[in-house]
Amino acid sequence: NHPPAIGYKNAESGLKVEKRLMMAKQVNDWTVEDVVMFVKQQGFGEDETTEIVKIVRSSFIDGGLLMKFATPEDMVKEADIHKNAARIILEKRDKLHQNPVGQATRYSPLSTTRSSFINLARMVHRAPARLLHT
């Protein structure tokens, strides 16, 4: 057993932060890469995940397009994604769309703080590199 490579933990926590930021967005606002990350989280086998990721990227399926699929049959017909995988993707999408992570709850002061942090993280993520390195 060898110790993990230098930066392994930082890379892992960076992915967790990226996942949280993606999940905090409304599904309609997801990029193609956000959809790819979402697909990878669904627990499909490696081969099926690879196939779906190729389809998502080649078909430019972003959150807006993902929201347009009303049924698994639509995904099968329009994107050639296996029906069972399409069903799982759409069910998970609908759960997220109904209850997005990071959405402020009515009486929770912590949720406002969390939302502020998420908004700040988005601004930093989008800021040009020259502004971040002074």
Side-chain angles (χ1 to χ4, degrees):
N1 286 335
H2 298 288
I6 295 172
Y8 174 76
K9 286 185 180 179
N10 290 337
E12 186 176 304
S13 31
L15 288 174
K16 288 179 183 176
V17 168
E18 187 177 330
K19 176 183 171 186
R20 277 193 225 119
L21 289 173
M22 181 268 297
M23 299 301 272
K25 293 183 199 176
Q26 293 291 325
V27 176
N28 281 320
D29 296 332
W30 286 0
T31 64
V32 171
E33 289 307 308
D34 290 332
V35 174
V36 165
M37 186 179 302
F38 175 71
V39 166
K40 289 180 177 181
Q41 296 166 8
Q42 302 316 310
F44 299 121
E46 187 176 333
D47 291 341
E48 189 170 16
T49 298
T50 301
E51 181 183 332
I52 295 169
V53 164
K54 283 180 185 176
I55 292 169
V56 167
R57 286 185 174 139
S58 66
S59 301
F60 303 102
I61 299 175
D62 61 5
L65 185 54
L66 185 62
M67 289 303 297
K68 290 182 181 179
F69 295 120
T71 66
E73 291 78 13
D74 290 344
M75 280 192 94
V76 171
K77 181 179 175 185
E78 299 295 324
D80 200 29
I81 291 176
H82 186 271
K83 186 175 179 179
N84 193 40
R87 181 187 54 77
I88 291 168
I89 291 168
L90 295 184
E91 284 175 2
K92 299 283 178 92
R93 173 210 65 185
D94 291 343
K95 284 182 184 177
L96 278 176
H97 185 66
Q98 291 168 2
N99 189 20
V101 174
Q103 182 176 351
T105 53
R106 201 168 175 178
Y107 298 107
S108 171
L110 291 177
S111 62
T112 303
T113 303
R114 181 175 50 227
S115 294
S116 298
F117 174 75
I118 290 168
N119 288 334
L120 176 62
R122 284 182 185 156
M123 287 187 299
V124 169
H125 180 69
R126 292 179 182 153
R130 62 182 163 69
L131 296 177
L132 297 176
H133 301 287
T134 55

